[in-house]
Amino acid sequence: MTDFLRAYSIQQWLESAPQGYLEDTQYGHAAGEKEPAPLMENDALREQAIRSTVQLVVGERCALAASSGLINSAPDEGSKRFLATQTLDEARHVEVFTQRLVDLGVHRTKLEDVIRLHANPNLVKFAELLLEQVDKKDFIAGVVGQNVILEGMAFHVFEMLHAANKDLNPKFGHTLSGTIADERRHVGFGENRIGSWISQRPERKGDIERMQREMSYYMLATFADAFRDAPDQEEVNRLRSNMRRDAGQENPEWGGVDLAASSPEELEGVLADTVLREFKIRLERIGVEYQTPLRP
Ligand SMILES: [Fe+2]
Ligand SMILES: [Fe+2]
């Protein structure tokens, strides 16, 4: 077995994830961990947590549909088995973030209504673009869209959320850290596997570059909506600062900025710049030329 096949095998997945960092977790966190009381007792904080968790559910549902949909168009057996492990990872992500909505007080019978109400239309558009490639059985475009673009984005969003929440909300922090570990594996597969396929199909580069530019635009528009139009943002920031002060916690940092003291515009900028910088590096590694998207 080559190193590549071993690194992305079901055996390796079992040892590192279910029997490794996910062992003894319940819905991604330790048994008994709860959402913090100050969050549950304040409607602005709880609503904000529900809205942002809905976007995670929407993104993960897209990843579940894409990874499962790509299995039958994968060109080799090793990739099919890897995508089967990824399918289970993504289904788990959908489940843990849906469970968080329930933990935040969304009634199970109202889940679909709440998800529909808050789903960001630009994120929905982003997901549709990716799933179009999967439905066409376009494996190369599907894997670039999923394992480079969608997951490159998700990885940094999760990291930023993790930095902002790990002290304030250890339950959510733990759910995110297991998810980040899974996403690192998915991004690694994309990077290690696609380069050789693209070099054999140089005529596909143009389509893939166009898709990247379009998906990047919708990603930036999603970030713009999330940071610019967030209702009660000042109130939410003030309440989170109070929670931190009461617990004697330092302000969280990520990407070289103080997450608690920066304006929404600064936060949007640092997230967008981090993701686009990484896209550029990853795309170069697989032989695709990065296309600068319009700024929404
Ligand atoms: Fe995921
Ligand atoms: Fe993933």
Side-chain angles (χ1 to χ4, degrees):
M1 210 186 259
T2 65
D3 286 348
F4 175 81
L5 281 176
R6 198 174 304 112
Y8 296 102
S9 65
I10 292 174
Q11 183 59 36
Q12 180 61 33
W13 174 79
L14 282 170
E15 288 172 21
S16 67
Q19 298 158 7
Y21 55 83
L22 295 177
E23 205 174 22
D24 298 326
T25 57
Q26 283 186 9
Y27 294 101
H29 55 82
E33 282 184 312
K34 291 193 166 29
E35 294 293 326
L39 189 162
M40 294 305 289
E41 287 157 9
N42 182 283
D43 282 347
L45 283 175
R46 213 167 52 80
E47 278 298 317
Q48 191 270 343
I50 289 171
R51 274 195 312 274
S52 66
T53 304
V54 163
Q55 313 317 321
L56 305 185
V57 172
V58 171
E60 296 295 353
R61 282 182 175 184
C62 172
L64 172 58
S67 51
S68 55
L70 287 167
I71 294 176
N72 284 332
S73 56
D76 62 275
E77 293 301 317
S79 298
K80 286 177 194 289
R81 291 201 297 274
F82 173 78
L83 286 166
T85 68
Q86 180 171 350
T87 297
L88 199 57
D89 291 336
E90 306 303 0
R92 188 183 81 82
H93 300 166
V94 173
E95 183 169 275
V96 296
F97 293 128
T98 305
Q99 180 60 40
R100 184 173 191 232
L101 291 176
V102 174
D103 296 346
L104 288 167
V106 178
H107 196 274
R108 283 194 186 277
T109 58
K110 295 276 182 277
L111 279 168
E112 291 312 314
D113 293 340
V114 169
I115 292 168
R116 216 173 302 120
L117 176 69
H118 293 301
N120 184 309
N122 285 304
L123 182 58
V124 171
K125 196 82 190 98
F126 175 96
E128 282 171 1
L129 261 170
L130 169 56
L131 294 176
E132 264 170 40
Q133 318 305 317
V134 176
D135 287 344
K136 282 191 291 190
K137 300 215 174 292
D138 184 340
F139 185 72
I140 295 181
V143 174
V144 175
Q146 168 172 278
N147 296 64
V148 180
I149 301 174
L150 168 63
E151 311 206 279
M153 168 180 83
F155 185 80
H156 294 293
V157 169
F158 290 144
E159 277 209 329
M160 190 186 212
L161 284 172
H162 182 255
N165 287 283
K166 66 180 192 313
D167 297 332
L168 222 46
N169 186 342
K171 167 186 178 271
F172 186 38
H174 290 145
T175 305
L176 287 166
S177 59
T179 310
I180 289 170
D182 293 340
E183 297 303 348
R184 190 172 287 124
R185 189 165 55 244
H186 306 161
V187 171
F189 170 81
E191 203 172 286
N192 288 312
R193 203 71 184 108
I194 309 168
S196 63
W197 289 323
I198 291 187
S199 62
Q200 290 160 18
R201 301 285 308 275
E203 77 282 4
R204 294 304 320 279
K205 277 190 192 176
D207 296 343
I208 289 167
E209 287 165 359
R210 263 189 301 282
M211 175 189 75
Q212 173 257 314
R213 189 165 188 265
E214 216 178 331
M215 285 183 78
S216 298
Y217 172 81
Y218 287 115
M219 176 191 78
L220 293 176
T222 304
F223 292 167
D225 294 341
F227 288 102
R228 292 179 211 171
D229 300 335
D232 301 327
Q233 194 57 48
E234 276 176 30
E235 168 79 345
V236 165
N237 289 347
R238 193 181 57 76
L239 291 162
R240 288 172 64 95
S241 294
N242 291 348
M243 284 169 70
R244 251 183 228 109
R245 189 199 53 217
D246 294 346
Q249 291 166 2
E250 306 256 313
N251 280 0
E253 266 190 42
W254 185 78
V257 299
D258 181 328
L259 293 178
S262 304
S263 69
E265 292 74 20
E266 286 169 318
L267 295 178
E268 181 194 340
V270 73
L271 180 59
D273 291 346
T274 305
V275 176
L276 294 181
R277 193 172 55 237
E278 286 288 316
F279 277 2
K280 219 178 259 184
I281 297 170
R282 293 220 161 86
L283 290 166
E284 250 161 45
R285 279 191 204 138
I286 61 169
V288 172
E289 204 172 309
Y290 170 80
Q291 305 290 314
T292 308
L294 295 172
R295 282 271 176 169

